[in-house]
Amino acid sequence: MSDLEAIGKQFVEFYYQTFDSERSGLASLYRSVSMMTWEGSPYQGAENIMEKISSLPFQRVAHKITTIDVQPSLPNVKSVVIVVTGQLLVDEETKPQQYTQMFQLVEDNGYFIYNDVFRLNYA
């Protein structure tokens, strides 16, 4: 496993474990320059992103990761693109929903989320 693959895998495990247990713990992963698109709605900056994540209309969520793809990103900046597919269960639902999420991480005294794009996959 390459260093980038290891970084991607560790990030994904941390992100979803934190999302599923205590969403507010994700705040340190975003910065003022971070951007997130959630189901087509854009959010800029850590505060706006965390407000959206915190306001999601469910109490419990469990992510099950199906695939993780990792690639190097920008040529002059230490960065990585990660694409995740998986299933999630919210609250009392018994039928999982399919999702895709893309992250671009940029290194700046540790990696932070520069881009985050989330979509449910409807069949």
Side-chain angles (χ1 to χ4, degrees):
M1 181 181 300
S2 75
D3 288 346
L4 283 182
E5 288 174 333
I7 289 166
K9 187 175 187 312
Q10 289 172 345
F11 166 79
V12 167
E13 288 173 1
F14 176 80
Y15 182 89
Y16 291 114
Q17 286 172 0
T18 305
F19 195 107
D20 293 355
S21 62
E22 184 60 49
R23 284 180 254 173
S24 64
L26 298 173
S28 65
L29 297 177
Y30 295 98
R31 305 271 175 88
S32 62
V33 295
S34 298
M35 295 169 276
M36 178 178 78
T37 301
W38 187 274
E39 289 291 301
S41 297
Y43 301 88
Q44 172 91 40
E47 187 175 325
N48 292 329
I49 291 169
M50 288 309 301
E51 184 177 312
K52 173 59 181 173
I53 290 172
S54 298
S55 71
L56 293 170
F58 47 80
Q59 299 301 311
R60 292 185 324 211
V61 62
H63 290 84
K64 180 182 176 195
I65 298 162
T66 305
T67 65
I68 302 171
D69 295 302
V70 181
Q71 292 184 355
S73 185
L74 303 169
N76 299 322
V77 178
K78 195 169 181 182
S79 58
V80 60
V81 170
I82 304 165
V83 177
V84 180
T85 63
Q87 300 177 333
L88 59 90
L89 279 171
V90 296
D91 293 331
E92 304 302 321
E93 288 183 1
T94 56
K95 184 178 179 193
Q97 299 178 62
Q98 306 293 321
Y99 75 93
T100 301
Q101 192 161 13
M102 184 282 301
F103 300 97
Q104 181 179 37
L105 307 182
V106 174
E107 204 282 325
D108 180 27
N109 295 318
Y111 283 92
F112 73 95
I113 300 171
Y114 186 75
N115 298 99
D116 178 353
V117 179
F118 175 88
R119 280 283 184 178
L120 290 171
N121 303 330
Y122 299 104

